[in-house]
Amino acid sequence: MKTRLILIYIIAFATNIIAQNPIKTEPFEKPINKGKWQIGGEITGSYDESTVYNNNTSNYSIGDDWEFKTLFLEVSPSIGKFISNGLVIGINPSLSYGGSFSKNSGSPSIGIGLGGYTKYYFNNGFLLNALAGIGKYDASFSFYNGFYLGGGVGYAYFLNPHVSLEGIINYSHQRTLMTKQKISQSNTCTFSAGLHFFFGRK
């Protein structure tokens, strides 16, 4: 119930901001100047299907291949400040769900994380993104620690001088400490869609 109320409040807040600042088609100065604050959030997702072909007949019969489906979803609010024109740095906690699944098994994972990000906005709307952070992941009631880093490119469409819609393609590397002797590594390409608000001095 509390989560639902928070979601309703966020939607009402966003609707109020957009209503007070309608979409403008004429040119306006983008809110990417030094001293501005940026708050918002992003939804990140990826989906992949893969097949592992088995040529070893010692444990499996011939043709016993493994088909995997990998899903990843993440929600991350963010807050940052422009330290110079076009350049913003900030923090973004996150909540994620993911895992690899086959017809015989599945390994869902829920994670929480805390990261930092840097974005550079160009005047034409394109942007560069860099991110890094740490996280704790729960897979089958076992808790693991990990870290990630990555970067990407995207585009910000400014509805008005206070609101932007953003799409970013990121490539990231993640390492998770499973045990003292076992480390899991992954390289992932994801797509993020976000809504951001800009406040502060001009």
Side-chain angles (χ1 to χ4, degrees):
M1 182 65 180
K2 185 180 294 185
T3 302
R4 186 179 299 175
L5 288 175
I6 294 174
L7 181 60
I8 292 174
Y9 176 79
I10 293 174
I11 294 174
F13 176 77
T15 303
N16 182 58
I17 291 292
I18 295 175
Q20 293 181 6
N21 301 274
I23 298 174
K24 295 185 177 181
T25 57
E26 68 272 12
F28 55 84
E29 184 179 2
K30 293 182 173 62
I32 55 176
N33 299 324
K34 180 179 178 180
K36 285 279 190 180
W37 285 89
Q38 176 192 74
I39 63 172
E42 296 178 347
I43 298 176
T44 301
S46 66
Y47 178 79
D48 178 68
E49 294 185 1
S50 60
T51 303
V52 178
Y53 296 98
N54 177 45
N55 294 319
N56 184 354
T57 60
S58 60
N59 296 318
Y60 304 97
S61 61
I62 297 177
D64 189 8
D65 302 326
W66 288 69
E67 296 183 354
F68 291 93
K69 297 180 180 180
T70 303
L71 173 69
F72 175 78
L73 292 172
E74 181 182 73
V75 178
S76 56
S78 63
I79 180 170
K81 185 175 183 179
F82 284 85
I83 60 174
S84 66
N85 291 344
L87 181 63
V88 60
I89 61 173
I91 58 173
N92 55 335
S94 62
L95 175 66
S96 63
Y97 172 85
S100 296
F101 307 90
S102 69
K103 63 180 181 180
N104 298 318
S105 64
S107 56
S109 172
I110 297 176
I112 57 174
L114 179 63
Y117 71 93
T118 300
K119 292 180 184 178
Y120 185 81
Y121 290 83
F122 296 93
N123 287 326
N124 59 7
F126 286 96
L127 62 89
L128 299 177
N129 184 51
L131 62 158
I134 57 175
K136 182 176 284 289
Y137 308 94
D138 171 22
S140 301
F141 301 102
S142 298
F143 293 91
Y144 307 112
N145 297 314
F147 77 91
Y148 63 90
L149 55 88
V153 296
Y155 185 82
Y157 178 75
F158 288 88
L159 302 177
N160 54 54
H162 300 284
V163 183
S164 74
L165 297 175
E166 299 182 7
I168 303 175
I169 297 176
N170 285 311
Y171 181 81
S172 61
H173 173 76
Q174 179 174 308
R175 304 186 92 188
T176 305
L177 180 63
M178 312 294 287
T179 66
K180 291 183 178 180
Q181 293 79 29
K182 185 178 180 182
I183 296 177
S184 171
Q185 300 186 74
S186 63
N187 298 297
T188 309
C189 186
T190 58
F191 176 76
S192 300
L195 176 67
H196 295 276
F197 305 96
F198 300 82
F199 301 94
R201 65 180 186 180
K202 295 182 178 181

